[in-house]
Short mmCIF file of all heavy atoms in Angstrom, two decimals:
data_model
loop_
_atom_site.label_atom_id
_atom_site.label_comp_id
_atom_site.label_asym_id
_atom_site.label_seq_id
_atom_site.Cartn_x
_atom_site.Cartn_y
_atom_site.Cartn_z
N ASP U 12 -4.34 16.37 6.20
CA ASP U 12 -5.01 15.42 5.33
C ASP U 12 -6.44 15.88 5.07
O ASP U 12 -7.10 16.43 5.96
CB ASP U 12 -5.01 14.05 6.04
CG ASP U 12 -5.62 12.96 5.19
OD1 ASP U 12 -5.56 13.08 3.95
OD2 ASP U 12 -6.16 12.01 5.76
N GLU U 14 -9.08 14.38 4.98
CA GLU U 14 -10.11 13.75 5.82
C GLU U 14 -10.11 14.28 7.27
O GLU U 14 -10.92 13.85 8.09
CB GLU U 14 -9.90 12.22 5.86
CG GLU U 14 -10.27 11.55 4.55
CD GLU U 14 -9.86 10.09 4.50
OE1 GLU U 14 -9.54 9.52 5.56
OE2 GLU U 14 -9.85 9.54 3.39
N LYS U 30 -3.15 14.31 10.70
CA LYS U 30 -2.23 13.60 9.81
C LYS U 30 -1.87 14.60 8.70
O LYS U 30 -2.75 15.21 8.09
CB LYS U 30 -2.96 12.39 9.22
CG LYS U 30 -2.06 11.44 8.49
CD LYS U 30 -2.89 10.32 7.85
CE LYS U 30 -2.37 10.07 6.45
NZ LYS U 30 -3.38 9.53 5.55
N TRP U 31 -0.56 14.77 8.48
CA TRP U 31 -0.10 15.77 7.52
C TRP U 31 0.28 15.11 6.21
O TRP U 31 0.92 14.06 6.21
CB TRP U 31 1.09 16.54 8.09
CG TRP U 31 0.74 17.29 9.33
CD1 TRP U 31 0.83 16.84 10.62
CD2 TRP U 31 0.22 18.62 9.41
NE1 TRP U 31 0.39 17.81 11.49
CE2 TRP U 31 0.02 18.92 10.78
CE3 TRP U 31 -0.09 19.60 8.46
CZ2 TRP U 31 -0.47 20.14 11.21
CZ3 TRP U 31 -0.58 20.82 8.90
CH2 TRP U 31 -0.77 21.09 10.26
N GLU U 38 0.99 17.62 -5.42
CA GLU U 38 1.34 16.30 -5.95
C GLU U 38 1.34 16.33 -7.47
O GLU U 38 2.20 15.73 -8.12
CB GLU U 38 0.34 15.23 -5.48
CG GLU U 38 0.47 14.85 -4.02
CD GLU U 38 -0.44 13.69 -3.66
OE1 GLU U 38 -1.01 13.04 -4.55
OE2 GLU U 38 -0.60 13.43 -2.45
N GLU U 68 8.61 15.46 6.32
CA GLU U 68 7.94 14.22 5.90
C GLU U 68 7.38 14.37 4.48
O GLU U 68 7.53 13.48 3.65
CB GLU U 68 6.79 13.89 6.85
CG GLU U 68 7.25 13.56 8.26
CD GLU U 68 6.14 13.76 9.29
OE1 GLU U 68 4.95 13.78 8.90
OE2 GLU U 68 6.47 13.92 10.47
N ARG U 71 10.26 14.50 2.06
CA ARG U 71 10.78 13.14 1.79
C ARG U 71 9.85 12.38 0.85
O ARG U 71 10.31 11.57 0.04
CB ARG U 71 10.93 12.35 3.09
CG ARG U 71 11.99 12.89 4.01
CD ARG U 71 13.35 12.25 3.78
NE ARG U 71 14.32 12.85 4.69
CZ ARG U 71 15.47 13.37 4.30
NH1 ARG U 71 15.84 13.36 3.04
NH2 ARG U 71 16.29 13.90 5.17
N THR U 72 8.55 12.62 0.96
CA THR U 72 7.63 11.96 0.04
C THR U 72 7.93 12.40 -1.39
O THR U 72 7.97 11.57 -2.30
CB THR U 72 6.17 12.29 0.41
OG1 THR U 72 5.94 11.85 1.74
CG2 THR U 72 5.17 11.61 -0.52
N GLY U 73 8.16 13.70 -1.57
CA GLY U 73 8.52 14.21 -2.90
C GLY U 73 9.83 13.60 -3.40
O GLY U 73 9.96 13.22 -4.56
N ALA U 75 11.02 10.74 -2.43
CA ALA U 75 10.75 9.31 -2.67
C ALA U 75 10.04 9.12 -4.01
O ALA U 75 10.24 8.12 -4.69
CB ALA U 75 9.91 8.74 -1.54
N TYR U 188 2.70 6.81 -7.03
CA TYR U 188 3.00 6.47 -5.64
C TYR U 188 4.51 6.44 -5.52
O TYR U 188 5.21 6.08 -6.48
CB TYR U 188 2.45 5.08 -5.30
CG TYR U 188 0.94 5.00 -5.36
CD1 TYR U 188 0.30 4.51 -6.49
CD2 TYR U 188 0.16 5.42 -4.29
CE1 TYR U 188 -1.08 4.45 -6.56
CE2 TYR U 188 -1.21 5.36 -4.35
CZ TYR U 188 -1.84 4.87 -5.48
OH TYR U 188 -3.19 4.82 -5.54
N ALA U 189 5.01 6.80 -4.35
CA ALA U 189 6.44 6.66 -4.10
C ALA U 189 6.75 5.17 -4.08
O ALA U 189 6.10 4.42 -3.37
CB ALA U 189 6.80 7.29 -2.76
N SER U 190 7.70 4.72 -4.89
CA SER U 190 8.04 3.29 -4.88
C SER U 190 8.88 2.98 -3.65
O SER U 190 9.47 3.88 -3.05
CB SER U 190 8.82 2.93 -6.15
OG SER U 190 10.13 3.44 -6.05
N LEU U 191 8.95 1.70 -3.29
CA LEU U 191 9.74 1.34 -2.12
C LEU U 191 11.23 1.66 -2.31
O LEU U 191 11.85 2.22 -1.41
CB LEU U 191 9.55 -0.13 -1.75
CG LEU U 191 8.12 -0.55 -1.40
CD1 LEU U 191 8.11 -1.96 -0.83
CD2 LEU U 191 7.49 0.39 -0.40
N PRO U 192 11.81 1.33 -3.48
CA PRO U 192 13.22 1.74 -3.66
C PRO U 192 13.36 3.26 -3.56
O PRO U 192 14.33 3.77 -3.00
CB PRO U 192 13.57 1.25 -5.07
CG PRO U 192 12.62 0.11 -5.31
CD PRO U 192 11.34 0.50 -4.60
N ILE U 194 11.53 5.27 -1.69
CA ILE U 194 11.44 5.62 -0.26
C ILE U 194 12.78 5.34 0.43
O ILE U 194 13.26 6.14 1.23
CB ILE U 194 10.29 4.83 0.42
CG1 ILE U 194 8.94 5.34 -0.10
CG2 ILE U 194 10.37 4.94 1.94
CD1 ILE U 194 7.74 4.51 0.34
N MET U 195 13.39 4.20 0.06
CA MET U 195 14.65 3.83 0.72
C MET U 195 15.78 4.80 0.33
O MET U 195 16.71 5.00 1.11
CB MET U 195 15.05 2.39 0.37
CG MET U 195 14.02 1.33 0.80
SD MET U 195 13.52 1.42 2.53
CE MET U 195 14.90 0.58 3.31
N ALA U 197 15.28 8.05 -0.44
CA ALA U 197 14.94 9.45 -0.16
C ALA U 197 15.78 10.06 0.95
O ALA U 197 16.13 11.23 0.90
CB ALA U 197 13.45 9.56 0.18
N LYS U 198 16.11 9.24 1.94
CA LYS U 198 16.84 9.77 3.10
C LYS U 198 18.24 10.25 2.72
O LYS U 198 18.81 11.10 3.39
CB LYS U 198 16.93 8.68 4.18
CG LYS U 198 17.02 9.25 5.57
CD LYS U 198 16.95 8.16 6.61
CE LYS U 198 16.68 8.74 7.99
NZ LYS U 198 16.40 7.69 8.96
N SER H 7 11.18 6.56 9.93
CA SER H 7 10.45 7.39 8.98
C SER H 7 10.20 6.62 7.68
O SER H 7 9.15 6.78 7.05
CB SER H 7 11.18 8.70 8.72
OG SER H 7 12.43 8.46 8.14
N GLU H 8 11.14 5.73 7.30
CA GLU H 8 10.91 4.91 6.09
C GLU H 8 9.73 3.97 6.29
O GLU H 8 8.91 3.80 5.40
CB GLU H 8 12.14 4.06 5.73
CG GLU H 8 13.21 4.78 4.94
CD GLU H 8 14.22 5.41 5.85
OE1 GLU H 8 14.05 5.30 7.09
OE2 GLU H 8 15.18 6.03 5.34
N MET H 11 6.58 5.83 6.01
CA MET H 11 6.29 6.21 4.62
C MET H 11 5.79 5.00 3.82
O MET H 11 4.90 5.12 2.99
CB MET H 11 7.55 6.77 3.94
CG MET H 11 7.75 8.24 4.18
SD MET H 11 9.34 8.78 3.53
CE MET H 11 8.89 9.13 1.85
N ILE H 12 6.41 3.85 4.09
CA ILE H 12 6.01 2.63 3.38
C ILE H 12 4.58 2.26 3.77
O ILE H 12 3.75 1.94 2.91
CB ILE H 12 7.00 1.48 3.68
CG1 ILE H 12 8.33 1.77 2.98
CG2 ILE H 12 6.43 0.12 3.24
CD1 ILE H 12 9.48 0.89 3.41
N LEU H 14 2.23 4.27 4.84
CA LEU H 14 1.28 5.23 4.27
C LEU H 14 1.11 5.03 2.77
O LEU H 14 0.01 5.15 2.23
CB LEU H 14 1.75 6.67 4.56
CG LEU H 14 1.63 7.08 6.03
CD1 LEU H 14 2.21 8.47 6.25
CD2 LEU H 14 0.17 7.05 6.49
N MET H 15 2.22 4.71 2.09
CA MET H 15 2.11 4.46 0.65
C MET H 15 1.22 3.24 0.39
O MET H 15 0.32 3.28 -0.45
CB MET H 15 3.50 4.27 0.05
CG MET H 15 3.52 4.12 -1.46
SD MET H 15 3.09 2.47 -2.06
CE MET H 15 4.68 1.67 -1.92
N ARG H 17 -1.03 2.00 2.29
CA ARG H 17 -2.39 2.33 2.70
C ARG H 17 -3.11 3.12 1.61
O ARG H 17 -4.24 2.82 1.23
CB ARG H 17 -2.30 3.15 3.99
CG ARG H 17 -3.58 3.57 4.60
CD ARG H 17 -3.24 4.55 5.73
NE ARG H 17 -4.31 5.52 5.84
CZ ARG H 17 -5.23 5.47 6.79
NH1 ARG H 17 -5.20 4.55 7.71
NH2 ARG H 17 -6.18 6.37 6.82
N ASP H 18 -2.39 4.11 1.10
CA ASP H 18 -2.92 4.95 0.03
C ASP H 18 -3.25 4.09 -1.20
O ASP H 18 -4.34 4.19 -1.78
CB ASP H 18 -1.80 5.93 -0.34
CG ASP H 18 -2.33 7.30 -0.63
OD1 ASP H 18 -3.38 7.63 -0.08
OD2 ASP H 18 -1.67 8.02 -1.40
N PHE H 19 -2.30 3.25 -1.57
CA PHE H 19 -2.48 2.37 -2.73
C PHE H 19 -3.67 1.45 -2.51
O PHE H 19 -4.54 1.29 -3.37
CB PHE H 19 -1.20 1.57 -2.96
CG PHE H 19 -1.30 0.61 -4.12
CD1 PHE H 19 -1.01 1.02 -5.42
CD2 PHE H 19 -1.72 -0.71 -3.93
CE1 PHE H 19 -1.13 0.15 -6.49
CE2 PHE H 19 -1.84 -1.59 -5.00
CZ PHE H 19 -1.55 -1.16 -6.28
N LYS H 22 -7.06 3.31 -2.56
CA LYS H 22 -7.45 3.87 -3.86
C LYS H 22 -7.57 2.81 -4.95
O LYS H 22 -8.46 2.87 -5.79
CB LYS H 22 -6.42 4.93 -4.31
CG LYS H 22 -6.60 6.24 -3.58
CD LYS H 22 -5.67 7.30 -4.16
CE LYS H 22 -5.53 8.47 -3.20
NZ LYS H 22 -4.17 9.02 -3.21
N GLU H 23 -6.64 1.86 -4.95
CA GLU H 23 -6.58 0.92 -6.08
C GLU H 23 -7.28 -0.40 -5.81
O GLU H 23 -7.76 -1.04 -6.72
CB GLU H 23 -5.11 0.63 -6.44
CG GLU H 23 -4.26 1.85 -6.67
CD GLU H 23 -4.17 2.25 -8.13
OE1 GLU H 23 -4.43 1.41 -9.00
OE2 GLU H 23 -3.83 3.43 -8.37
N GLU H 47 5.79 -3.10 -9.64
CA GLU H 47 6.55 -1.90 -10.04
C GLU H 47 6.90 -1.03 -8.83
O GLU H 47 7.94 -0.37 -8.82
CB GLU H 47 5.72 -1.06 -11.03
CG GLU H 47 5.67 -1.69 -12.42
CD GLU H 47 4.61 -1.06 -13.32
OE1 GLU H 47 3.98 -0.07 -12.92
OE2 GLU H 47 4.41 -1.60 -14.44
N LEU H 48 6.04 -1.04 -7.82
CA LEU H 48 6.30 -0.23 -6.63
C LEU H 48 7.30 -0.89 -5.68
O LEU H 48 7.70 -0.29 -4.68
CB LEU H 48 4.99 0.05 -5.88
CG LEU H 48 4.04 1.02 -6.57
CD1 LEU H 48 2.69 1.05 -5.88
CD2 LEU H 48 4.64 2.42 -6.61
N GLY H 49 7.69 -2.12 -5.99
CA GLY H 49 8.68 -2.81 -5.15
C GLY H 49 8.07 -3.63 -4.03
O GLY H 49 8.77 -4.07 -3.12
N LEU H 50 6.75 -3.84 -4.08
CA LEU H 50 6.08 -4.56 -2.98
C LEU H 50 6.24 -6.08 -3.07
O LEU H 50 5.81 -6.78 -2.16
CB LEU H 50 4.58 -4.20 -2.97
CG LEU H 50 4.24 -2.79 -2.49
CD1 LEU H 50 2.84 -2.38 -2.92
CD2 LEU H 50 4.37 -2.70 -0.97
N MET H 53 10.35 -7.28 -1.06
CA MET H 53 10.67 -6.39 0.06
C MET H 53 11.84 -6.87 0.92
O MET H 53 12.45 -6.08 1.63
CB MET H 53 9.42 -6.15 0.91
CG MET H 53 8.36 -5.36 0.15
SD MET H 53 6.89 -4.94 1.13
CE MET H 53 7.54 -3.66 2.22
N SER H 62 13.60 -4.21 -2.96
CA SER H 62 13.51 -2.89 -2.32
C SER H 62 14.13 -2.92 -0.93
O SER H 62 14.29 -1.88 -0.32
CB SER H 62 12.07 -2.40 -2.29
OG SER H 62 11.18 -3.44 -1.95
N ASN H 63 14.50 -4.11 -0.46
CA ASN H 63 15.30 -4.24 0.76
C ASN H 63 14.78 -3.43 1.93
O ASN H 63 15.53 -2.76 2.62
CB ASN H 63 16.76 -3.82 0.45
CG ASN H 63 17.72 -4.32 1.51
OD1 ASN H 63 17.46 -5.35 2.13
ND2 ASN H 63 18.80 -3.61 1.72
N THR H 64 13.49 -3.49 2.15
CA THR H 64 12.89 -2.68 3.21
C THR H 64 12.89 -3.42 4.54
O THR H 64 12.67 -2.81 5.57
CB THR H 64 11.43 -2.38 2.89
OG1 THR H 64 10.74 -3.63 2.77
CG2 THR H 64 11.30 -1.63 1.58
#
Side-chain angles (χ1 to χ4, degrees):
Chain U
D12 183 28
E14 288 171 14
K30 191 185 137 206
W31 298 90
E38 287 186 11
E68 295 158 20
R71 293 269 179 233
T72 301
Y188 296 97
S190 73
L191 300 189
I194 291 171
M195 300 308 279
K198 208 174 195 171
Chain H
S7 63
E8 277 91 358
M11 274 173 87
I12 289 168
L14 289 176
M15 184 280 276
R17 181 189 148 103
D18 219 28
F19 179 87
K22 283 186 197 143
E23 307 265 341
E47 286 167 6
L48 289 170
L50 288 162
M53 293 184 72
S62 42
N63 197 29
T64 60

